[in-house]
């Protein structure tokens, strides 16, 4: 094929004036991130209907949620290595198709074992465990893709844009899944949404590539821009064994521990917010569906802002404080806003404060993933697999959160998130980001 012709048939002159291919890759990964969260967390909106049908307690719901969280955390490191070994094109295609298949299973598998509530509980736990495995590689593989496709010191923004995609996917759950449940039922909502994963996987396979050099649409100028100043960190020797070294690297582990603290708050929002709005704040089902979207819309905006701020600070004052400063400030605001929202006597004021709280959990996504990329270099997928494992071990506490809700109520449960946020901010002070 003529090198002057792009995939869509545009000549080189037209290609030069079009959107750079790296931003098209980012746009496509944004869509995958949206679909990922839309399909993985639609269960959270269906929980009130599922609880009513099967008479599950909050503790039992916690075990259903925790089965996903356990598998997701357990398979993040293997998922990152999977991306390093097989490349993002194959890895992301396989897992996106799996999301669609398992979403359909969520609708009908519990019905096959519904002779007792215990049978239905086991069915939910099995399918959610499998969904956790299928979701685990997504963000480590995407981070590795950004490390290949974007120039050094410009990694926070694309990772933050990916966080905007996931939060918008979460936001869309409220109104869309609620309407589907009201119109057709909770099972049918899963059947209707399942093909989205198949379409997303096929789209990525068609356009995505592991590296810029493999993509026919990338110009020589763009390739030179991407590779300018690219060097591997000295602390991590390149080669096949590099991923083994990076997964036990001091700063990767510190970042993972801080991410655990941040994600404790994230999981409260992503898995319990809809139930909180219905049971604690007394909103009607449809109203809850629309209010549920607000924190995630705020999160999408602040994620992009945080990524831009982090990249700008990294250029101005260096990666160590460029990543550290927004992370520490963001976690401090998370702690304050979460406690203020939980204590507010006014339901709509509480929603506003909690929306800002969640927004700042996303504001610091870019610093977390960019810092790990600075540390890991060519082994970013493996290192961010460790990061995401540490962060999502927080999901193991879903049964504990359910027990806390049953025995202590919402205020102490939400207040516990403020404690974790403060600990996360302290841990960031000990992280030494490469590149200063």
């Amino acid at each position: 094929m003529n090198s002057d012709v792009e995939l869509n048939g545009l000549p080189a002159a037209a290609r030069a004036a079009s959107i750079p291919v790296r931003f098209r890759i980012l746009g496509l990964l944004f869509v995958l991130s949206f679909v990922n969260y839309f399909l993985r967390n639609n269960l959270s909106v269906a929980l009130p209907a599922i609880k009513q049908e099967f008479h599950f307690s909050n503790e039992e719901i916690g075990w259903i949620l925790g089965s996903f969280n356990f598998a997701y955390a357990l398979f993040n490191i293997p998922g990152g290595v999977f991306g390093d070994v097989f490349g993002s094109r194959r890895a992301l295609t396989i897992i996106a198709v799996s999301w669609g298949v398992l979403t359909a299973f969520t609708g009908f598998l519990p019905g096959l074992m519904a002779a007792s509530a215990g049978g239905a509980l086991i069915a939910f736990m099995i399918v959610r465990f499998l969904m956790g495995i299928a979701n685990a590689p997504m963000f480590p593989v995407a981070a590795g893709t950004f490390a290949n496709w974007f120039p050094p010191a410009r990694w926070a923004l694309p990772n933050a844009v990916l966080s905007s995609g996931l939060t918008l996917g979460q936001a869309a759950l409220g109104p869309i899944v609620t309407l589907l449940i009201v119109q057709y039922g909770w099972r049918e909502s899963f059947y209707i949404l399942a093909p989205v994963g198949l379409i997303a996987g096929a789209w990525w396979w068609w356009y995505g590539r592991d590296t810029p050099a493999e993509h026919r649409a990338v110009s020589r100028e763009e390739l030179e821009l991407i590779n300018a100043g690219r060097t591997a960190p000295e602390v991590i020797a390149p080669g096949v064994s590099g991923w083994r070294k990076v997964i036990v690297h001091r700063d990767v582990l510190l970042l993972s521990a801080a991410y655990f603290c941040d994600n404790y708050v994230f999981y409260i929002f992503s898995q319990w917010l809809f139930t909180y709005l219905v049971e604690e704040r007394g909103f009607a089902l449809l109203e809850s569906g629309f209010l549920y979207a607000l924190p995630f819309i705020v999160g999408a905006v602040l994620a992009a802002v945080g990524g831009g701020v982090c990249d700008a600070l990294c250029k101005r004052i260096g990666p160590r404080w460029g990543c550290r400063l927004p992370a520490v400030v963001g976690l401090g605001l998370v702690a304050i806003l979460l406690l203020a929202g939980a204590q507010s006597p006014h339901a709509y004021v509480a929603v506003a404060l909690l929306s800002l709280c969640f927004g700042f959990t996303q504001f610091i996504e870019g610093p977390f993933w960019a810092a790990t990329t600075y540390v890991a270099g060519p082994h970013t997928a493996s290192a961010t697999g460790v990061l995401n494992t540490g962060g999502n071990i927080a999901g193991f506490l879903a049964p504990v959160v359910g027990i806390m809700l049953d025995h202590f109520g919402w205020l102490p449960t939400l207040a516990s998130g403020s404690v974790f946020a403060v600990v996360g901010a302290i841990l960031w002070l000990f992280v030494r980001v490469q590149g200063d």
Side-chain angles (χ1 to χ4, degrees):
M1 183 176 180
N2 192 323
S3 61
D4 288 340
V5 179
E6 194 187 11
L7 285 174
N8 58 10
L10 289 176
R15 181 178 63 209
S18 64
I19 299 172
V21 179
R22 66 186 183 280
F23 289 111
R24 298 186 217 169
I25 293 293
L26 173 58
L28 186 47
L29 287 172
F30 174 92
V31 172
L32 279 175
S33 177
F34 179 97
V35 171
N36 173 261
Y37 258 69
F38 192 77
L39 295 183
R40 76 186 257 184
N41 284 330
N42 50 6
L43 182 75
S44 63
V45 178
L47 282 180
I50 292 171
K51 285 178 66 177
Q52 183 178 9
E53 178 175 336
F54 296 104
H55 307 290
F56 291 143
S57 66
N58 282 325
E59 182 178 351
E60 289 171 321
I61 290 295
W63 284 109
I64 293 172
L65 297 173
S67 61
F68 173 95
N69 301 341
F70 178 77
Y72 185 77
L74 185 66
F75 284 88
N76 255 275
I77 295 175
V81 175
F82 173 62
D84 275 342
V85 173
F86 292 99
S88 63
R89 189 186 185 205
R90 282 184 289 179
L92 291 177
T93 300
I94 292 169
I95 64 172
V97 171
S98 300
W99 305 337
V101 173
L102 291 168
T103 297
F105 281 2
T106 307
F108 75 82
L109 187 60
L112 299 178
M113 301 174 66
S116 67
L121 177 65
I122 292 171
F124 275 115
M125 290 177 65
I126 290 172
V127 74
R128 291 300 292 175
F129 185 87
L130 294 174
M131 182 66 93
I133 295 174
N135 275 264
M138 170 64 201
F139 294 102
V141 175
T145 306
F146 292 143
N148 289 333
W149 274 89
F150 282 79
R154 299 185 190 179
W155 294 318
L157 183 59
N159 279 291
V161 169
L162 208 66
S163 295
S164 296
L166 72 87
T167 51
L168 288 176
Q170 188 89 39
L173 288 175
I176 294 176
V177 178
T178 301
L179 287 172
L180 289 175
I181 290 172
V182 170
Q183 290 292 322
Y184 305 107
W186 72 264
R187 287 182 176 84
E188 288 73 13
S189 71
F190 286 91
Y191 302 149
I192 292 169
L193 296 174
V196 176
L198 308 181
I199 295 170
W203 191 9
W204 173 255
W205 176 259
W206 172 71
Y207 196 77
R209 296 295 184 272
D210 297 337
T211 65
E214 297 172 321
H215 204 296
R216 290 175 291 179
V218 176
S219 66
R220 182 182 297 106
E221 293 78 10
E222 183 175 11
L223 189 61
E224 290 174 353
L225 173 65
I226 292 170
N227 290 327
R230 186 176 294 272
T231 57
E234 293 180 0
V235 294
I236 302 170
V240 176
S241 64
W243 66 266
R244 297 187 180 95
K245 297 179 181 180
V246 81
I247 64 176
V248 294
H249 192 275
R250 170 193 180 276
D251 294 303
V252 172
L253 295 178
L254 275 173
L255 285 164
S256 302
Y259 203 41
F260 170 92
C261 297
D262 178 52
N263 268 15
Y264 179 83
V265 180
F266 177 87
Y267 269 106
I268 289 176
F269 277 89
S270 66
Q271 297 186 331
W272 294 98
L273 178 62
F274 192 83
T275 303
Y276 172 77
L277 293 174
V278 173
E279 294 184 355
E280 180 69 7
R281 292 298 179 173
F283 291 111
L285 190 64
L286 283 175
E287 188 178 13
S288 294
F290 285 96
L291 289 174
Y292 175 89
L294 184 60
F296 302 105
I297 293 172
V298 174
V301 174
L302 287 184
V305 172
V309 167
C310 180
D311 276 343
L313 287 173
C314 286
K315 293 176 185 177
R316 192 174 188 85
I317 61 177
R320 182 170 299 180
W321 280 101
C323 293
R324 180 185 289 166
L325 189 60
V328 171
V329 171
L331 282 165
L333 289 171
V334 167
I336 294 168
L337 291 166
L338 183 57
L339 196 57
Q343 292 181 317
S344 175
H346 305 289
Y348 289 104
V349 173
V351 171
L353 290 170
L354 292 173
S355 296
L356 285 172
C357 171
F358 182 80
F360 280 102
T361 68
Q362 298 309 290
F363 180 84
I364 60 179
E365 283 287 312
F368 268 113
W369 291 77
T372 309
T373 304
Y374 278 112
V375 171
H379 306 292
T380 292
S382 297
T384 52
V386 179
L387 176 75
N388 223 23
T389 296
N392 288 283
I393 288 175
F396 292 3
L397 300 180
V400 176
V401 173
I403 293 170
M404 290 174 65
L405 289 174
D406 284 338
H407 290 85
F408 304 109
W410 284 99
L411 179 57
T413 302
L414 294 179
S416 67
S418 294
V419 176
F420 275 99
V422 171
V423 173
I426 294 171
L427 288 171
W428 258 99
L429 298 176
F430 297 95
V431 175
R432 302 173 303 193
V433 178
Q434 288 294 113
D436 288 330

